[in-house]
Amino acid sequence: MATEKYQKGIVKIKELTSSTDENPTGFMDIGEGFKDIAPDLSQYVVEFAFGDIYSRPGLDNKQKVLTTITSLVTQGKPQIGMHIKTGLSVGLTPEEIVGCIIHLIPYVGFPSVLNALKVTQEVFNELGVKVTPSEG
Amino acid sequence: MATEKYQKGIVKIKELTSSTDENPTGFMDIGEGFKDIAPDLSQYVVEFAFGDIYSRPGLDNKQKVLTTITSLVTQGKPQIGMHIKTGLSVGLTPEEIVGCIIHLIPYVGFPSVLNALKVTQEVFNELGVKVTPSEG
Amino acid sequence: MATEKYQKGIVKIKELTSSTDENPTGFMDIGEGFKDIAPDLSQYVVEFAFGDIYSRPGLDNKQKVLTTITSLVTQGKPQIGMHIKTGLSVGLTPEEIVGCIIHLIPYVGFPSVLNALKVTQEVFNELGVKVTPSEG
Amino acid sequence: MATEKYQKGIVKIKELTSSTDENPTGFMDIGEGFKDIAPDLSQYVVEFAFGDIYSRPGLDNKQKVLTTITSLVTQGKPQIGMHIKTGLSVGLTPEEIVGCIIHLIPYVGFPSVLNALKVTQEVFNELGVKVTPSEG
Amino acid sequence: MATEKYQKGIVKIKELTSSTDENPTGFMDIGEGFKDIAPDLSQYVVEFAFGDIYSRPGLDNKQKVLTTITSLVTQGKPQIGMHIKTGLSVGLTPEEIVGCIIHLIPYVGFPSVLNALKVTQEVFNELGVKVTPSEG
Amino acid sequence: MATEKYQKGIVKIKELTSSTDENPTGFMDIGEGFKDIAPDLSQYVVEFAFGDIYSRPGLDNKQKVLTTITSLVTQGKPQIGMHIKTGLSVGLTPEEIVGCIIHLIPYVGFPSVLNALKVTQEVFNELGVKVTPSEG
């Protein structure tokens, strides 16, 4: 019953999360937890967000996740943590992830950036990721 | 009287805008137009935004401008046009710029994206930039 | 000492929350908890928000609460939970409440919607409300 | 080459805009103006926004458009004018549209509401729509 | 037919705008332009915003207008121009108005501040107001 | 190794927080907690936010903190609590702080104000600060 676009979306999620066939959506929240109140939601997430948009050419995966993280930091959304994991999975370095958030100071101000770094730090600690200090 | 950090900021702006020594800040608005009401403003823009933040390691110039554009699209700010020019100047392809904006649909919705594409289209038309259609 | 408009506001809140004379404001937070720092606040809530605006003709109660929920989801405010209760109280079905939130995906993106559905699910669970799956 | 979901989306747009077979998308902006830079955009608008989301059960058309208008007023987006036209097309009365915007004052403040009423007034004037004063 | 609170609001507006009895609301937009679609709107503006909130003790007029300007700059609302006029009318100096906007850079970023300074400059030019450069 | 501007920023923070030489930054979060992932962050906070912007003439300290609080309430940022402490430290009365937040109702709506008053109440309780009821 899964559409072709749904299959395409699942393939993309596997690629983004380096997940296995047993748990194809990996750590990505596709809205499965809302089956009781919105059973159609995960279909929109998989088909549209991943089957259509993330599968689109134009940007590579690292650029796509950097764009996602930037928008979530700008909006102050809690989903930033999950997408930092995706960023690491597709090959963004910890320095690039932190660099992207620090780069936003002149565009969103310090409070949004400090709140985002808190989440980043928690995810890095959870995964044992270290940032290599640069010679600024 | 210009500080070392100011000089560093100007060098970075020249790099970002491919500008000449005659007009070192190129098309970048550093707040010079507000000398009558806020004469210190351009110093903050040049020293902090460009001397500190844009000069920071961690991201390359293309990533920095992509991050800037994404935040401005998310916020609906008119400065997006100027930073699309910067993007083209540092080597982002038109496809990457459009790709970044389209990628934001699942994160900000259609209206913000349509408004940003309108500005993008105007800048591309002004500069004679063409987008090569992809084989989606 | 209560003004006529205050009385009108309380009558409206009773209608919206199906509350009793013993507890006329029911589950509606009218700012009573801030009597120590802003003793006049609940007067503004009751007189203006409920005596003026919610008492205005033009929309029926179901439309008014749907409008309230939509604005709170768009802004990501925690008050959404309380207003979902109001929605159920004035006769919005669980399907209409979820339908309104899902409808916002193209206008605010997935993260805001997922965050709102989490609150919705908690309220529905607390009240034992079930959503009837539709034949999409 | 149009997918089944695209056809479903076009049917929905025709229903929402009371448009004809000659001009099936009527006054609805589906992103056709961006064919030069984002040729795939209108497909996302039609398939996802209209084929998936607007075609979803749960809310009737009047509720869907009221939800759309509310979110756009809350965000201050210029698309509100187009969706006021859609609202009138699906049977929302001018009083309901104005009622929805005025209802938002306690949730977004006066400036956003005044800006939205300006657009509303322009659309009503363009279409010759009159608001019947109520006996508040 | 005007309520006591409406009268109180008009008195406050006269005080804020230094207006005359012939034109008591002066340059303040109280929503009179929407009599055709929302005849009750100006009552809410005058009674609630000015009769209740602006008439509240706690802050002096200069602090109230500074707070208003700050919120509008943070939100990017066009009403900032009108409230800069109010600020000058209640005795805020041009340096305080510009100082407030520049102070927001670390909290909202440069683009919002640059956009607000543009409006400020236009109002200052219109009124022939000069900023005295400080010895930073 | 600390720059002159950094020193200037630290002096300003001491002034704002009435802190001691042993703990010069007092209760102000300057991003020291992110030394592991963004060791340069606290330099930007101290040099730019405090050495440049808070050290700027134009507004007095009470006005600067009022502006900061207003912007944070408008954005719904959690940093409001820390800046309420700064406000009390520079001499804002509890009535001015509450007055500023209540004043925002017509500009941001009730939910943002209620959320900010909750944080205010917690800070006031923690510090044993009392609000003197006014004769509204």
Side-chain angles (χ1 to χ4, degrees):
Chain A
M1 195 181 118
T3 64
E4 203 181 321
K5 199 182 283 183
Y6 189 91
Q7 298 295 2
K8 194 176 170 191
I10 290 291
V11 167
K12 191 72 192 178
I13 294 173
K14 285 181 64 176
E15 180 188 315
L16 290 165
T17 61
S18 313
S19 57
T20 60
D21 284 344
E22 281 73 45
N23 177 18
T25 56
F27 53 76
M28 189 70 78
D29 177 10
I30 60 161
E32 288 281 349
F34 299 116
K35 283 293 180 214
D36 54 337
I37 62 170
D40 52 341
L41 177 67
S42 63
Q43 192 188 335
Y44 305 139
V45 174
V46 175
E47 287 189 0
F48 180 62
F50 293 100
D52 274 335
I53 300 298
Y54 271 89
S55 298
R56 201 178 176 275
L59 296 180
D60 64 31
N61 282 341
K62 288 170 62 173
Q63 290 174 312
K64 280 171 186 164
V65 181
L66 211 65
T67 297
T68 301
I69 291 171
T70 299
S71 185
L72 294 172
V73 173
T74 301
Q75 296 179 70
K77 294 292 175 206
Q79 276 85 355
I80 177 183
M82 182 174 70
H83 290 283
I84 286 173
K85 290 186 185 172
T86 313
L88 294 168
S89 170
V90 299
L92 285 172
T93 64
E95 293 74 25
E96 285 174 315
I97 292 169
V98 169
C100 154
I101 297 173
I102 296 281
H103 184 75
L104 288 168
I105 299 174
Y107 297 106
V108 302
F110 285 97
S112 299
V113 165
L114 287 162
N115 297 341
L117 286 175
K118 187 120 195 67
V119 179
T120 308
Q121 197 177 43
E122 287 165 8
V123 172
F124 284 6
N125 282 344
E126 180 194 332
L127 302 180
V129 169
K130 299 280 180 220
V131 172
T132 307
S134 62
E135 336 272 303
Chain B
M1 197 180 120
T3 64
E4 202 181 322
K5 200 181 280 182
Y6 189 92
Q7 299 293 1
K8 193 176 170 191
I10 291 291
V11 167
K12 191 69 192 179
I13 294 173
K14 283 180 66 176
E15 180 188 315
L16 290 166
T17 60
S18 314
S19 56
T20 61
D21 284 345
E22 282 71 44
N23 176 18
T25 55
F27 54 75
M28 190 71 79
D29 176 10
I30 61 163
E32 289 281 348
F34 299 116
K35 283 293 180 214
D36 55 336
I37 62 170
D40 52 340
L41 177 66
S42 62
Q43 192 187 335
Y44 306 139
V45 174
V46 174
E47 288 188 2
F48 181 61
F50 294 100
D52 274 337
I53 301 299
Y54 270 88
S55 297
R56 200 178 179 274
L59 296 182
D60 63 31
N61 282 341
K62 288 170 62 174
Q63 289 174 313
K64 279 170 186 165
V65 181
L66 211 64
T67 297
T68 302
I69 292 172
T70 299
S71 185
L72 295 173
V73 173
T74 302
Q75 297 179 69
K77 294 292 176 205
Q79 277 86 353
I80 178 184
M82 182 174 70
H83 290 282
I84 286 173
K85 289 184 187 176
T86 313
L88 294 168
S89 170
V90 299
L92 285 172
T93 64
E95 292 73 27
E96 284 174 316
I97 291 170
V98 169
C100 154
I101 297 173
I102 295 281
H103 184 76
L104 288 167
I105 298 173
Y107 297 106
V108 301
F110 285 97
S112 299
V113 166
L114 288 162
N115 298 340
L117 286 175
K118 187 123 194 65
V119 179
T120 308
Q121 196 178 42
E122 287 163 8
V123 172
F124 284 7
N125 283 343
E126 180 193 333
L127 302 179
V129 168
K130 300 280 178 218
V131 173
T132 307
S134 62
E135 336 271 304
Chain C
M1 196 180 120
T3 63
E4 204 180 321
K5 201 182 280 183
Y6 190 92
Q7 297 295 2
K8 195 176 167 190
I10 291 292
V11 167
K12 191 69 193 180
I13 294 172
K14 285 180 64 175
E15 180 188 314
L16 290 166
T17 60
S18 314
S19 57
T20 60
D21 285 344
E22 282 71 45
N23 176 17
T25 55
F27 53 76
M28 189 71 78
D29 177 9
I30 60 162
E32 289 281 348
F34 299 115
K35 283 294 179 213
D36 56 337
I37 61 170
D40 52 340
L41 176 66
S42 63
Q43 192 187 334
Y44 306 140
V45 174
V46 175
E47 285 188 2
F48 180 61
F50 294 101
D52 275 336
I53 300 300
Y54 271 89
S55 297
R56 198 177 178 277
L59 295 182
D60 64 30
N61 281 341
K62 289 170 60 173
Q63 289 174 313
K64 281 172 185 163
V65 182
L66 211 64
T67 297
T68 301
I69 291 171
T70 299
S71 185
L72 295 172
V73 173
T74 301
Q75 295 180 70
K77 295 291 174 204
Q79 277 84 356
I80 179 184
M82 182 174 70
H83 289 282
I84 286 174
K85 289 186 187 173
T86 313
L88 294 168
S89 170
V90 299
L92 285 173
T93 64
E95 292 75 25
E96 284 174 316
I97 292 169
V98 169
C100 154
I101 297 172
I102 296 280
H103 184 75
L104 288 166
I105 299 172
Y107 298 105
V108 301
F110 284 99
S112 299
V113 165
L114 287 162
N115 297 342
L117 286 175
K118 188 122 193 66
V119 180
T120 308
Q121 196 177 44
E122 287 164 9
V123 172
F124 283 6
N125 283 344
E126 179 194 332
L127 301 180
V129 168
K130 299 280 181 221
V131 172
T132 306
S134 62
E135 337 271 304
Chain D
M1 194 181 121
T3 64
E4 201 180 324
K5 201 183 281 184
Y6 189 91
Q7 298 294 2
K8 195 176 168 191
I10 291 291
V11 167
K12 192 68 191 181
I13 294 173
K14 284 180 65 176
E15 179 189 314
L16 290 166
T17 59
S18 313
S19 56
T20 60
D21 284 346
E22 281 72 44
N23 177 18
T25 56
F27 54 77
M28 189 72 78
D29 176 11
I30 60 163
E32 289 280 349
F34 298 115
K35 283 292 179 214
D36 55 336
I37 61 171
D40 52 340
L41 176 66
S42 62
Q43 191 187 335
Y44 305 140
V45 174
V46 174
E47 286 189 1
F48 181 62
F50 294 101
D52 274 337
I53 301 299
Y54 271 89
S55 298
R56 200 178 177 274
L59 296 182
D60 63 32
N61 282 341
K62 288 170 61 173
Q63 290 175 313
K64 280 171 186 163
V65 181
L66 212 64
T67 297
T68 301
I69 292 171
T70 298
S71 185
L72 294 172
V73 173
T74 301
Q75 295 179 69
K77 293 293 175 204
Q79 278 85 354
I80 177 184
M82 182 174 71
H83 289 283
I84 286 174
K85 288 185 188 174
T86 313
L88 294 169
S89 169
V90 299
L92 285 173
T93 64
E95 292 74 27
E96 285 174 316
I97 291 169
V98 170
C100 154
I101 297 173
I102 296 280
H103 184 76
L104 288 168
I105 298 173
Y107 297 105
V108 301
F110 285 97
S112 299
V113 165
L114 287 162
N115 297 341
L117 286 175
K118 187 122 193 67
V119 180
T120 308
Q121 197 177 42
E122 286 163 8
V123 172
F124 283 7
N125 282 343
E126 180 193 333
L127 302 180
V129 168
K130 299 281 178 218
V131 173
T132 306
S134 64
E135 337 270 306
Chain E
M1 196 180 119
T3 64
E4 203 180 322
K5 200 181 281 183
Y6 189 92
Q7 298 294 1
K8 195 177 168 190
I10 291 291
V11 167
K12 193 69 192 180
I13 294 173
K14 284 180 65 175
E15 181 189 315
L16 290 166
T17 60
S18 314
S19 57
T20 61
D21 284 345
E22 282 72 45
N23 177 17
T25 55
F27 54 76
M28 189 71 79
D29 176 9
I30 60 162
E32 289 281 349
F34 299 115
K35 284 293 180 212
D36 55 336
I37 63 170
D40 52 340
L41 176 66
S42 63
Q43 192 187 336
Y44 305 139
V45 174
V46 174
E47 286 189 1
F48 181 61
F50 293 101
D52 274 337
I53 300 300
Y54 270 88
S55 298
R56 201 177 176 274
L59 296 181
D60 62 31
N61 282 342
K62 288 170 61 173
Q63 290 174 313
K64 280 171 186 163
V65 182
L66 212 63
T67 298
T68 302
I69 291 171
T70 299
S71 185
L72 295 173
V73 174
T74 302
Q75 296 179 69
K77 293 293 176 203
Q79 278 85 355
I80 178 185
M82 182 174 70
H83 289 282
I84 286 174
K85 290 184 186 174
T86 313
L88 294 168
S89 170
V90 300
L92 284 172
T93 64
E95 292 74 26
E96 286 174 314
I97 291 169
V98 169
C100 154
I101 297 172
I102 296 281
H103 184 76
L104 288 167
I105 298 173
Y107 298 106
V108 302
F110 285 98
S112 299
V113 165
L114 288 163
N115 297 341
L117 286 175
K118 187 120 194 67
V119 180
T120 308
Q121 197 177 43
E122 287 163 8
V123 172
F124 284 6
N125 283 343
E126 179 193 333
L127 302 179
V129 168
K130 300 279 179 220
V131 172
T132 307
S134 63
E135 336 273 305
Chain F
M1 195 181 120
T3 64
E4 202 180 321
K5 201 182 280 184
Y6 189 92
Q7 298 293 3
K8 194 176 169 191
I10 291 292
V11 167
K12 191 70 192 179
I13 294 173
K14 284 180 64 176
E15 180 188 314
L16 290 166
T17 61
S18 314
S19 57
T20 62
D21 284 345
E22 281 72 46
N23 176 18
T25 56
F27 54 76
M28 190 70 78
D29 176 10
I30 61 161
E32 289 280 350
F34 299 115
K35 283 293 180 215
D36 55 337
I37 62 170
D40 52 341
L41 177 66
S42 63
Q43 191 187 336
Y44 306 139
V45 173
V46 174
E47 287 189 0
F48 180 63
F50 293 102
D52 274 336
I53 301 299
Y54 271 89
S55 297
R56 199 178 178 274
L59 295 182
D60 63 32
N61 282 341
K62 288 171 61 175
Q63 290 174 313
K64 280 170 185 163
V65 182
L66 212 64
T67 297
T68 302
I69 292 172
T70 299
S71 185
L72 295 171
V73 173
T74 302
Q75 295 179 71
K77 294 291 175 206
Q79 278 85 354
I80 178 182
M82 182 175 70
H83 289 283
I84 286 174
K85 289 184 185 173
T86 313
L88 293 168
S89 170
V90 299
L92 284 173
T93 64
E95 292 75 24
E96 284 174 316
I97 292 168
V98 169
C100 155
I101 298 172
I102 296 280
H103 184 76
L104 289 167
I105 299 172
Y107 297 105
V108 301
F110 285 97
S112 299
V113 165
L114 288 162
N115 297 341
L117 286 174
K118 188 122 194 66
V119 180
T120 308
Q121 196 177 45
E122 287 164 8
V123 173
F124 283 6
N125 283 344
E126 180 193 332
L127 302 179
V129 168
K130 299 281 180 218
V131 173
T132 307
S134 63
E135 337 271 305

